[in-house]
Amino acid sequence: MIRVADIPDLRRQVSGWRAQGLRTALVPTMGNLHAGHLALVRSARELAGRVVVSIFVNPLQFGPSEDFAAYPRTLERDAEQLAALGADLLFVPTVDGMYPRGQADHTRVEVPGLSDILCGASRPGHFVGVATVVCKLLNLVQPDLALFGEKDFQQLLVIRRMVEDLCLPVAIHGLPTVREADGLAMSSRNVYLQPAERALAPGLYRALLRAAERLSGGAAVVEVEAQGYAELAAGGLEPEYLSVRRACDLGPPGAEDLDLVVLAAARLGRARLIDNCRVRLDD
Ligand code: PAF
């Protein structure tokens, strides 16, 4: 596996592959890789001739009081795992390399509406930071496809919308959430959980599953949301939201909408956990 930090080196390498007609996949990450990331890389390996993984803890998507400095950085262990899976290139840019004029003066990509609700409401600017860095990574690598986890469901929709609106020539693949045996969605931030919090954390997914069951049983959205929120609080989490939305655009569902998603965010000690559960009412 080639490791590259500089943009000109990356461009040289990927344009060489393009000239050979090789199909390239990009897996953008912030590192501290877990089984969810590795599943993306395995899938990329099956779908493309060359696999690029980026590891960049992107300061632009962190708020001033968020965990940018503390975000777990485990580059050497990540690189070993990626090499073992057969990734071809690991791109590890620096903050100055990505934002040479500084973050404040860098051009931004905004997906309005979708970026301001749910997680966007409590993390202003977060999805602008995500869309900007993903747009830049897509332009640098120019992959045929890019892969993201469905755990970050809102992020996936923001990226899909950006790609569609800006006519970026890339296929976006969303892969199912990978979970621990007790249902907790894998996340780099799970390392923040103290043992007692770790024991409570699967309550988030359990509440989502119960909400999904109630919806399938015909319960009203407002009741499902209120019950789910109360269950999270009763389970020792500090819920931020538990919300039922249309899966296609995260709008409020009407009676005619059958493809729904229940999304939740909750705090548990230092960790902010998010998860979601898809509900298809026509099944
Ligand atoms: O999901 C992540 O790890 C990040 O938000 C991403 C997509 C790599 C952009 O920094």
Side-chain angles (χ1 to χ4, degrees):
M1 183 177 72
I2 312 162
R3 198 189 296 193
V4 169
D6 291 337
I7 287 176
D9 294 341
L10 172 73
R11 282 198 179 283
R12 206 169 305 116
Q13 187 61 54
V14 294
S15 62
W17 291 337
R18 218 171 301 121
Q20 292 171 52
L22 289 163
R23 196 171 151 75
T24 304
L26 171 66
V27 181
T29 81
M30 298 205 300
N32 192 30
L33 303 181
H34 51 67
H37 296 113
L38 302 183
L40 298 177
V41 176
R42 274 193 206 95
S43 180
R45 189 61 296 161
E46 282 166 18
L47 294 166
R50 290 290 179 270
V51 175
V52 177
V53 179
S54 61
I55 295 184
F56 179 59
V57 184
N58 171 34
L60 209 58
Q61 69 189 74
F62 288 78
S65 57
E66 292 185 355
D67 58 342
F68 173 69
Y71 197 86
R73 289 159 170 89
T74 53
L75 182 58
E76 292 314 316
R77 201 193 68 202
D78 294 348
E80 277 169 27
Q81 297 187 87
L82 293 171
L85 282 184
D88 297 285
L89 189 149
L90 173 58
F91 178 48
V92 280
T94 61
V95 171
D96 287 347
M98 288 295 273
Y99 303 118
R101 260 185 291 278
Q103 292 168 56
D105 290 335
H106 195 277
T107 298
R108 280 151 200 257
V109 179
E110 182 179 0
V111 177
L114 253 186
S115 298
D116 308 321
I117 56 175
L118 302 169
C119 287
S122 59
R123 303 188 68 191
H126 168 66
F127 288 114
V128 170
V130 170
T132 301
V133 80
V134 171
C135 186
K136 187 152 183 163
L137 290 167
L138 292 173
N139 282 329
L140 288 170
V141 178
Q142 299 184 21
D144 297 281
L145 59 143
L147 299 92
F148 300 86
E150 286 177 352
K151 196 209 98 188
D152 298 297
F153 195 84
Q154 186 174 5
Q155 166 173 286
L156 181 59
L157 289 200
V158 166
I159 292 167
R160 284 194 195 285
R161 178 79 61 85
M162 170 191 75
V163 163
E164 196 180 318
D165 286 353
L166 299 181
C167 306
L168 301 180
V170 60
I172 301 299
H173 290 237
L175 262 68
T177 303
V178 177
R179 299 182 180 282
E180 304 284 358
D182 59 9
L184 176 65
M186 296 221 179
S187 163
S188 302
R189 287 187 166 104
N190 289 350
V191 296
Y192 296 151
L193 295 168
Q194 297 301 308
E197 295 160 353
R198 175 64 190 79
L200 297 176
L204 180 60
Y205 187 49
R206 281 200 300 270
L208 289 169
L209 287 176
R210 277 193 295 265
E213 269 172 38
R214 287 184 190 119
L215 281 173
S216 299
V221 165
V222 278
E223 279 165 26
V224 169
E225 290 179 340
Q227 265 181 306
Y229 191 96
E231 277 176 17
L232 289 177
L237 292 101
E238 277 177 60
E240 206 174 81
Y241 65 79
L242 182 141
S243 191
V244 180
R245 298 293 172 113
R246 279 198 301 259
C248 60
D249 62 0
L250 300 184
E256 67 290 352
D257 292 312
L258 302 178
D259 187 5
L260 307 180
V261 58
V262 194
L263 307 104
R267 293 195 177 271
L268 195 49
R270 274 179 69 211
R272 180 180 179 278
L273 306 176
I274 59 169
D275 203 347
N276 65 83
C277 181
R278 195 83 172 255
V279 190
R280 290 188 178 81
L281 295 180
D282 51 350
D283 279 354

